[in-house]
Amino acid sequence: MRAGRLLSILLLLQNRGRMTAGELATELGVSVRTVYRDVDALSEAGVPVYADRGRAGGFQLLGGYRTRLTGLSEDEARSLALAGLPDAAAELGLGTVLGAAQLKLFAALPEQLRAGAGQVAERFYLDVPGWHREVERLAHLSDVADAVWRTRRLRVDYRRWDGSAACRTLEPLGLVLKAGVWYLVARCDGSDRTYRVSRIVTMSDAGEFSRPDGFDLAEYWRVWSEGFERRMYSETATVRLSPLGRRLVPVYLGSVGAAALETAQAEGGEPDEDGWCTVRLPVEAGRPGVGELLRFGPDLEVLEPEQLRTAVAEAIAATAARYTR
C-alpha cells in the first residue's frame, strides 16, 4: 500500500512539477502528515525531492529527474477503459486504480505529448447523468463488478419494478451505465436478461461459470434498448401540437418523439392557420402515458384514441378543481 503511494507521489511530482503537501494529500486521500513522512522516505531512498518551506512552498524533483517505473498492473490496465468516467470508476471500486494508471501513462509520454494530453483533460469533460439526477450510489455495485471480472455466478434476491420479490441465479456478463443508472446484463435460465442493480436486495457467490464465446455487450445493449423503447411506447396517440408543443416533443419524449415529428413532416402534415399541426406520437400505456402528455400543458390536445382523450381531460379537470377550491 505504502509502496504504491510513494510511486504515486513520485509520478505526480514528475508530471505536474511543484505541488504542496495539501495538494498531494488531496490527490492521494491521506493526511498532510502522511505526505511529509512519505516524502522523507523518498529522500532517504535517494530520490532528489526538494522542499520549499513557507506558505507558498511545496515539493519538486530536482535536475529533471524522471522515473521509468511506469508498468501498469492488470487492474490499472482494465481501469483505463473508464478513463473518461472517473465517477463510474469510483463506483466500481476502481477510482484509486484509475488514478494510478493515468499517472503512469502520463509519466511514460514524451514531454510534448504529455502536455497535449493534459490540455485535453483541462478542456473537455464528460458528465454522464441527465439533469437533476446523479449516478446511483449502490451498496452492491463493486461486488457485482467483481463477479463480472472473475466470472462468478451470483445468487440474488431481486425486487421487481412492481415491488414483488424474486430469487435468481445469474451469470454476470457485463455492466452498463445509462443516464446515471447501472444495469447488470446476465444470463439466467439460458437467456440473456437485464437487471437494474439498485433492485438487488441481497447477493451471494454461487461458483464459477464459463463466459459464452462471442458475447458482445455493446451489441446486446443496442438491441435490448431498441426493444425496450418499443415496449415502453407501445401505443400511439393522435394529437394536435402548438409551435411550442412541437419544440417540446424531443425534450419530453426523446428520440422516439423526434422521429414521429420527422415522419409527420415527411408525410406533408402542414400547420393550420394558428400554427398547430396534427401528429401521431408514441405513448406509454395507461397512467404513465397520461402523465407524459400532461407535461405539454395547453400546447397539446389529444384527438385519439377517445379513451386516452377522456383520461387526459379528466386529469385536467381534477387538477383545475383542486386549484379552484
Side-chain angles (χ1 to χ4, degrees), residues 12-48:
L12 282 167
L13 295 177
Q14 179 174 304
N15 292 334
R16 302 186 189 179
R18 182 194 302 268
M19 294 184 69
T20 68
E23 290 170 339
L24 287 168
T26 299
E27 286 284 344
L28 300 171
V30 298
S31 67
V32 170
R33 180 177 297 179
T34 297
V35 169
Y36 279 114
R37 286 200 299 265
D38 287 346
V39 169
D40 287 341
L42 286 172
S43 296
E44 291 172 3
V47 177

Side-chain angles (χ1 to χ4, degrees), residues 4-17 19 42 61 67-70 99-108 114:
R5 194 171 66 241
L6 293 177
L7 178 58
S8 293
I9 291 176
L10 183 53
L11 293 174
L12 282 167
L13 295 177
Q14 179 174 304
N15 292 334
R16 302 186 189 179
M19 294 184 69
L42 286 172
L61 298 175
T67 178
R68 294 298 177 187
L69 298 175
T70 54
Q102 290 174 321
L103 279 174
K104 290 181 180 181
L105 278 184
F106 275 113
R114 188 162 66 249

Side-chain angles (χ1 to χ4, degrees), residues 266-285:
E267 293 174 351
E270 295 294 331
D272 60 22
E273 58 184 13
D274 296 323
W276 288 60
C277 66
T278 301
V279 177
R280 289 172 57 81
L281 291 180
V283 295
E284 295 184 64

Side-chain angles (χ1 to χ4, degrees), residues 224-239:
W224 183 87
S225 297
E226 291 175 354
F228 176 76
E229 283 195 343
R230 286 194 299 270
R231 294 189 300 272
M232 183 176 179
Y233 295 99
S234 58
E235 298 189 1
T236 302
T238 303
V239 304

